[in-house]
């Protein structure tokens, strides 16, 4: 979560909330550039990051951005990608 703050462009909040835990992020460098988007939530970061054995934060943010653009649930997408394939069983 703290590594994401490096990409924060501004803090935002829900109407009437004094905490302002939401935010906007952007990545302008590297292969996984992302236009300004809502700050990723922990569950999305986990589903598309460690669960998929992916430790590239910029890549995870890009995957979250693509899911959001295509209307895919980030947690369901990450867990589907991470789900191990069924082993083939041969009957002899």
């Amino acid at each position: 979560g703290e590594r994401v703050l490096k990409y924060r462009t501004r803090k935002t909040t829900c109407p009437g909330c004094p905490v302002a835990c939401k935010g906007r992020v952007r990545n302008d460098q590297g292969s996984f550039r992302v236009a300004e988007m809502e700050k990723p939530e922990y569950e999305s970061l986990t589903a598309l990051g460690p669960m998929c054995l992916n430790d590239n934060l910029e890549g995870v943010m890009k995957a979250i951005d693509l899911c959001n653009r295509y209307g895919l649930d980030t947690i369901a997408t990450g867990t589907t990608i991470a789900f191990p394939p069924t082993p083939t069983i041969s009957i002899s």
Side-chain angles (χ1 to χ4, degrees), residues 14-17 29 74 84 89:
C14 298
C17 177
Q29 300 176 7
T74 54
I89 300 172

Side-chain angles (χ1 to χ4, degrees), residues 67-80:
C67 285
N68 290 336
R69 289 177 185 271
Y70 287 106
L72 298 171
D73 180 74
T74 54
I75 300 167
T77 301
T79 54
T80 301

Side-chain angles (χ1 to χ4, degrees), residues 6-7 9 11 15 17-18 21 31 33-34 37 63 67 76 87 90:
K6 166 182 161 182
Y7 301 99
T9 56
K11 286 178 128 181
C17 177
C21 65
S31 302
R33 293 182 178 165
V34 175
M37 62 182 251
C67 285
S90 61

